[in-house]
Amino acid sequence: MHRVGSAGNNSNSVRPRKEKRLTYVLSDADDTKHCAGINCLAVLKSPVSDGSDYLFTGSRDGTLKRWALAEDSASYSATFESHVDWVNDAVLVGYSTLVSCSSDTTLKTWNCLSDGICTRTLRQHSDYVTCLAAAEKNSNIVASSGLGGEVFIWDLEAALASVSKSNDAMEEDCSNGVNGSGNPLPMTSLRTIGSSNNISMHTTQSHGYVPIAAKGHKESVYALAMNESGTILVSGGTEKVVRVWDSRTGSKTMKLRGHTDNIRALLLDSTGRFCLSGSSDSMIRLWDLGQQRCVHSYAVHTDSVWALASTPTFSHVYSGGRDLSLYLTDLATRESLLLCTKEHPVLQLALHDDSIWVATTDSSVHRWPAEGRNPQKVFQRGGSFLAGNLSFSRARISLEGSTPVSVYKEPTLSIPGTPAIVQHEILNNRRHVLTKDTTGSVKLWEITRGVVVQDFGKVSFEEKKEQLFEMVSIPGWFTVDTRLGSLSVHLDTPQCFSAEMYSADLNIAGKPEDDKVNLARETLKGLLAHWMAKRRQRLGSQSSANGDVLSGKDITSRSLARSRIEIDGSAENDSMVYPSFEFSTNSPPSIITEGSQGGPWRKKVTDLDGTEDEKDFPWWCLDCVLHNRLPPRENTKCSFYLHPCEGSAVQILTQGKLSAPRILRIHKVVNYVIEKMVLDKPLDNPDGSFAPGLGGGQLQHSTVGDGSYRPGLKPWQKLRPSIEILCNNQVLSPDMSLATVRAYIWKKPEDLVLNYRLVQGR
């Protein structure tokens, strides 16, 4: 997915403003399931014996989900949706707060026992936020870091505290008032670990703490860990060293060297004396922070170690990574067991009593036996090996064929996901997208309705793409990516308004067949139909009718000041949604966008309540949906010459250059030629004007031809004489548009040349 950020620039810039984008994310599957890899796990133990435990999963699909755990089942409980990019990590703080971080550069706090309520968004990082760490016995402290190299220690109690209304303009919640609590928002309080080893902070009057960003690491950070009390923090990343910090003061206490590649996973014991690190060099190392040295190294894996989890006593470690394997290692005896082999790389682990949850790059999550309270029971099964202390020793053993046999063959419980889309192709008709998912299933989507119109099953993607090819030329009005495991359709102004079709081609009943329909405008109306209905209810019938959009704001004058606006006079200014643009309410799309304040936000279209305004939506979306105004569009006309075929005896109608809408069908050109012949009014004018009231060579499809057709005949099957239109000596189908002829038949940069001839015997 595109990196999300503010799309505007400051008022002093001479560069043109880049308007904010609107994205909608489509799904044809059960919304209770993830559709992309699971990056993080967190288990919430019930404080009462008969209460329900919960598992929280964060995915590359941009959402988190809560699962109620039972002995033999895990049932869907809630979706937490507000991040606009991958969710990379999540930690539980106390019994009611979940903190997540994302590639959208934000942290978000959630009431984890709610129905998905985001309480705050914390915006401080300059790049993807990759990892979090929490203090188990100090519910106020959370650390975060990421690709920008910053390490922040957040005081959640201060960050979530209410502040005065005067601070509202500088504060942001999770979705600029759309998805948050709706309460006055705080200035976030954090302590920043800087390269000077000191915490930087200052206050602004009585509004709370204002963070000052400073970088601790010089490069990206991929792993954090904190002890129970929150006094010690360790971090690691591409610098290949483990940094140790005193999180109470922000001072750096030591730097531990030994790994030869990126550090990807870290653990601290409850006291903060011992640290475990996993690296892309395939090694696990045990560090004694008191002695400031590595006391053991474990060559268990044959590839990068990405995930670690320890028993409560820190006597054994569970590890997983790129080699698809989950191992259990006794830190004292160095004995190691292969617990299971996965089909996908292991990204994170979470112990839950005597089981362990395993997250991978797949959208499903599995629970495996772990004997976390008595891991020696697993070793009694046999099959253990002695972990070496050099990375090549484990690799050599694997090459020699003595690969360990896994203890467990099947998980005890699985939470299935849906296959992620990994390949896509936008078809020429610019309404259909062909996709292929991780199982090889190929589907055809109609993006103006957000539905799968055909599931082809496991067929060749390339062959199906060739079969679906149409010789049509429609401007590209949207872009697509599958970064979130599903189709994300991006609309950018003014490009998105470049595509039009006739109502007849869209099978829209009740509209004249020659009415032009702007695809982006109608798609936006379909996406925001629920919002429009809620808005009408809120504003009442009178305010809805007069088009007042925003209280205290004049979007009309502001829009006109920015750019020339076109009024789309070919469609009524109403909220009617045509069938070709109706989105499903069973699997509603989510929209990702931002308005004039704050950053991007994400929400299901059916969860919009009608209060969202210009602070939340791009102005051009509101201008289009509420006022029927479109920005200026280029290349909506096609210039061409119309001459009789060489050697033909038919009369010359015109010698001038003509122009018409790009979507004009050839049968309209046929009608024009016939009309001029039947009326015997050839216009051999060099300026190309050829119809009463139409100067400058404008071929208007709405005025060419008399519109009288015989019942049962196609619109272009007129009375004699019969005419054929040719281009490059090729007879053109009456259904072709001028744009299609130019793209596939003419294939030259010069103005299009069409020829006509009389067809005898018809």
Side-chain angles (χ1 to χ4, degrees):
M1 183 179 163
H2 65 288
R3 184 167 298 189
V4 182
S6 175
N9 61 347
N10 60 53
S11 58
N12 296 325
S13 174
V14 296
R15 297 173 60 188
R17 174 187 175 91
K18 179 174 173 55
E19 297 297 346
K20 295 177 174 64
R21 153 181 291 185
L22 184 135
T23 296
Y24 58 100
V25 184
L26 302 178
S27 173
D28 71 324
D30 189 347
D31 191 45
T32 64
K33 297 178 180 179
H34 285 298
C35 64
I38 310 299
N39 281 341
C40 55
L41 303 166
V43 174
L44 180 64
K45 295 280 292 181
S46 174
V48 294
S49 58
D50 58 347
S52 178
D53 294 347
Y54 291 103
L55 173 70
F56 295 86
T57 54
S59 171
R60 295 178 179 184
D61 64 15
T63 70
L64 300 104
K65 295 186 186 294
R66 184 181 67 218
W67 312 88
L69 302 179
E71 185 175 350
D72 298 317
S73 66
S75 56
Y76 168 80
S77 181
T79 293
F80 300 82
E81 184 174 14
S82 182
H83 283 297
V84 301
D85 209 334
W86 289 12
V87 177
N88 293 323
D89 205 0
V91 293
L92 286 159
V93 181
Y95 189 69
S96 61
T97 301
L98 178 70
V99 183
S100 60
C101 68
S102 168
S103 295
D104 64 13
T105 76
T106 70
L107 278 71
K108 292 183 183 288
T109 64
W110 313 80
N111 181 342
C112 67
L113 298 180
S114 70
D115 290 333
I117 296 176
C118 175
T119 52
R120 291 295 180 265
T121 292
L122 308 177
R123 307 182 191 278
Q124 190 62 31
H125 284 273
S126 63
D127 210 329
Y128 294 178
V129 191
T130 57
C131 50
L132 299 172
E136 187 174 328
K137 293 185 177 179
N138 187 339
S139 60
N140 293 329
I141 304 301
V142 170
S144 64
S145 195
L147 301 190
E150 309 106 333
V151 177
F152 296 128
I153 304 175
W154 304 77
D155 183 340
L156 289 185
E157 183 178 5
L160 301 180
S162 296
V163 293
S164 63
K165 290 281 187 180
S166 62
N167 232 13
D168 287 354
M170 296 189 295
E171 297 153 0
E172 303 164 357
D173 73 351
C174 64
S175 57
N176 312 319
V178 175
N179 216 23
S181 61
N183 298 325
L185 306 171
M187 292 304 293
T188 53
S189 168
L190 57 82
R191 295 194 286 271
T192 307
I193 298 178
S195 55
S196 62
N197 302 333
N198 295 319
I199 286 181
S200 302
M201 66 169 70
H202 69 270
T203 60
T204 302
Q205 301 176 11
S206 60
H207 299 327
Y209 295 103
V210 178
I212 296 178
K215 292 186 177 181
H217 286 262
K218 298 176 183 178
E219 299 177 18
S220 300
V221 178
Y222 286 107
L224 292 173
M226 195 177 286
N227 65 335
E228 281 189 350
S229 60
T231 58
I232 298 174
L233 176 71
V234 292
S235 58
T238 56
E239 295 170 343
K240 308 171 189 176
V241 299
V242 178
R243 297 180 185 267
V244 185
W245 313 86
D246 184 339
S247 57
R248 296 165 298 185
T249 63
S251 59
K252 185 174 64 178
T253 60
M254 67 189 79
K255 184 188 295 184
L256 304 173
R257 301 181 183 275
H259 283 295
T260 59
D261 207 337
N262 301 339
I263 294 169
R264 299 299 302 264
L266 289 168
L267 287 179
L268 276 177
D269 74 335
S270 59
T271 65
R273 177 176 178 181
F274 292 103
C275 173
L276 278 167
S277 59
S279 168
S280 295
D281 62 13
S282 78
M283 296 296 294
I284 300 171
R285 291 184 179 271
L286 177 64
W287 308 84
D288 187 324
L289 301 189
Q291 299 180 27
Q292 300 190 21
R293 70 183 184 92
C294 176
V295 293
H296 286 298
S297 58
Y298 307 88
V300 175
H301 291 268
T302 58
D303 208 333
S304 301
V305 181
W306 288 349
L308 297 173
S310 71
T311 56
T313 58
F314 215 71
S315 62
H316 295 73
V317 63
Y318 301 86
S319 58
R322 192 174 179 178
D323 60 3
L324 319 181
S325 301
L326 176 64
Y327 287 93
L328 171 63
T329 304
D330 187 320
L331 296 176
T333 67
R334 307 178 65 84
E335 268 192 293
S336 191
L337 273 172
L338 175 61
L339 292 183
C340 64
T341 301
K342 306 288 291 178
E343 295 180 355
H344 305 275
V346 176
L347 297 177
Q348 205 169 88
L349 305 169
L351 272 173
H352 181 217
D353 298 332
D354 283 330
S355 299
I356 189 167
W357 288 97
V358 180
T360 70
T361 56
D362 185 47
S363 58
S364 300
V365 187
H366 303 286
R367 187 183 72 185
W368 295 81
E371 300 293 350
R373 287 174 284 206
N374 186 10
Q376 285 302 125
K377 291 172 63 176
V378 186
F379 285 95
Q380 294 172 7
R381 292 171 171 260
S384 64
F385 63 93
L386 193 63
N389 57 8
L390 296 173
S391 58
F392 69 82
S393 63
R394 179 70 187 89
R396 185 177 66 237
I397 292 172
S398 178
L399 289 173
E400 290 172 353
S402 54
T403 304
V405 178
S406 57
V407 177
Y408 304 110
K409 303 300 182 184
E410 297 292 336
T412 57
L413 185 61
S414 295
I415 302 176
T418 58
I421 296 174
V422 293
Q423 189 175 0
H424 71 276
E425 182 77 21
I426 300 172
L427 302 188
N428 283 3
N429 63 18
R430 304 296 178 183
R431 291 178 64 214
H432 291 146
V433 175
L434 193 67
T435 64
K436 181 180 179 180
D437 64 29
T438 51
T439 66
S441 180
V442 176
K443 296 179 180 179
L444 184 66
W445 294 73
E446 186 174 332
I447 62 103
T448 56
R449 293 192 295 137
V451 296
V452 172
V453 292
Q454 197 163 356
D455 186 343
F456 300 108
K458 297 180 180 180
V459 299
S460 168
F461 183 84
E462 295 301 322
E463 290 180 6
K464 185 56 64 176
K465 183 174 68 173
E466 292 180 9
Q467 292 173 12
L468 294 173
F469 173 80
E470 295 180 70
M471 190 184 290
V472 295
S473 178
I474 296 176
W477 60 281
F478 64 91
T479 56
V480 168
D481 72 51
T482 57
R483 177 176 168 81
L484 301 181
S486 50
L487 275 184
S488 294
V489 183
H490 309 298
L491 302 181
D492 293 285
T493 189
Q495 303 95 304
C496 67
F497 295 109
S498 62
E500 295 176 325
M501 292 181 66
Y502 289 123
S503 58
D505 297 324
L506 293 167
N507 297 317
I508 297 176
K511 280 180 71 71
E513 64 172 20
D514 287 340
D515 272 7
K516 290 185 292 184
V517 176
N518 189 285
L519 298 184
R521 176 183 181 272
E522 300 306 320
T523 299
L524 286 171
K525 284 169 54 180
L527 284 170
L528 299 181
H530 177 86
W531 172 78
M532 285 287 289
K534 291 289 186 180
R535 182 178 176 276
R536 282 195 299 272
Q537 293 175 11
R538 184 175 62 88
L539 298 180
S541 57
Q542 182 173 355
S543 60
S544 175
N546 64 27
D548 292 338
V549 186
L550 310 171
S551 58
K553 293 181 181 286
D554 184 5
I555 191 170
T556 304
S557 61
R558 197 173 62 81
S559 301
L560 291 172
R562 278 191 185 168
S563 61
R564 182 170 54 88
I565 300 295
E566 295 181 359
I567 304 298
D568 187 358
S570 66
E572 306 82 9
N573 186 12
D574 57 30
S575 59
M576 179 187 296
V577 177
Y578 302 118
S580 302
F581 302 91
E582 289 180 344
F583 285 83
S584 169
T585 55
N586 295 325
S587 297
S590 299
I591 59 171
I592 296 174
T593 191
E594 59 181 313
S596 60
Q597 296 181 15
W601 54 273
R602 170 174 172 167
K603 204 170 190 180
K604 282 275 187 290
V605 295
T606 49
D607 290 338
L608 300 172
D609 60 13
T611 63
E612 299 84 10
D613 57 19
E614 194 185 20
K615 296 190 302 294
D616 313 306
F617 285 115
W619 69 272
W620 58 269
C621 293
L622 297 178
D623 226 14
C624 169
V625 174
L626 295 174
H627 297 306
N628 209 31
R629 285 193 289 257
L630 306 182
R633 290 163 289 167
E634 298 179 357
N635 301 322
T636 59
K637 298 286 186 179
C638 178
S639 298
F640 66 98
Y641 292 93
L642 184 61
H643 299 315
C645 288
E646 186 176 351
S648 173
V650 296
Q651 62 199 52
I652 299 175
L653 301 178
T654 179
Q655 291 180 341
K657 185 190 297 186
L658 313 176
S659 68
R662 287 170 48 88
I663 63 173
L664 189 82
R665 302 296 190 194
I666 292 300
H667 73 75
K668 289 294 184 181
V669 182
V670 171
N671 287 351
Y672 164 74
V673 174
I674 292 174
E675 184 177 86
K676 299 309 172 189
M677 287 185 172
V678 170
L679 296 177
D680 195 26
K681 291 181 179 179
L683 300 178
D684 193 5
N685 298 330
D687 65 356
S689 58
F690 53 81
L694 299 177
Q698 297 296 311
L699 177 57
Q700 300 286 345
H701 70 279
S702 58
T703 57
V704 172
D706 60 14
S708 60
Y709 308 121
R710 289 183 291 176
L713 294 182
K714 294 285 188 180
W716 59 87
Q717 290 175 318
K718 301 278 291 181
L719 298 172
R720 288 182 175 84
S722 293
I723 294 293
E724 287 181 340
I725 305 294
L726 297 85
C727 179
N728 279 345
N729 296 318
Q730 181 175 334
V731 178
L732 303 179
S733 166
D735 280 326
M736 277 189 178
S737 69
L738 292 177
T740 301
V741 173
R742 183 175 185 87
Y744 293 99
I745 309 298
W746 183 243
K747 299 180 182 179
K748 300 176 185 178
E750 297 87 7
D751 288 324
L752 177 65
V753 176
L754 300 181
N755 302 109
Y756 56 92
R757 70 185 180 193
L758 184 64
V759 181
Q760 301 296 333
R762 293 190 183 178

